Amino acid sequence: MVRLAAPGLLERQLAVDWLVVDQTDGFPAGAAEAALHEAIGSPAWNVVREKAGIILLARVQ
């Protein structure tokens, strides 16, 4: 299992191209939801798939 919670990571150029958010996992508290809202609110990210609380997003190239 990989856990990544780094505020500001999504705003860096070429930091990550894919983001997987598990809305069912509460660790660390609020980090997954904060990253999800940041990505969904940005035109740089597209939701590729959503199933059972897992959301896959891809950076728009």
Side-chain angles (χ1 to χ4, degrees):
M1 175 180 289
V2 175
R3 297 181 189 266
L4 175 62
L9 179 69
L10 300 180
E11 58 196 44
R12 292 188 214 158
Q13 187 67 17
L14 302 175
V16 292
D17 290 321
W18 294 91
L19 181 64
V20 178
V21 179
D22 183 351
Q23 293 183 295
T24 65
D25 186 6
F27 177 85
E33 287 298 318
L36 178 61
H37 289 295
E38 182 181 343
I40 288 178
S42 169
W45 291 94
N46 283 333
V47 174
V48 175
R49 182 155 177 142
E50 181 175 354
K51 184 176 180 181
I54 309 293
I55 302 173
L56 175 63
L57 299 105
R59 185 184 294 272
V60 176
Q61 299 296 325

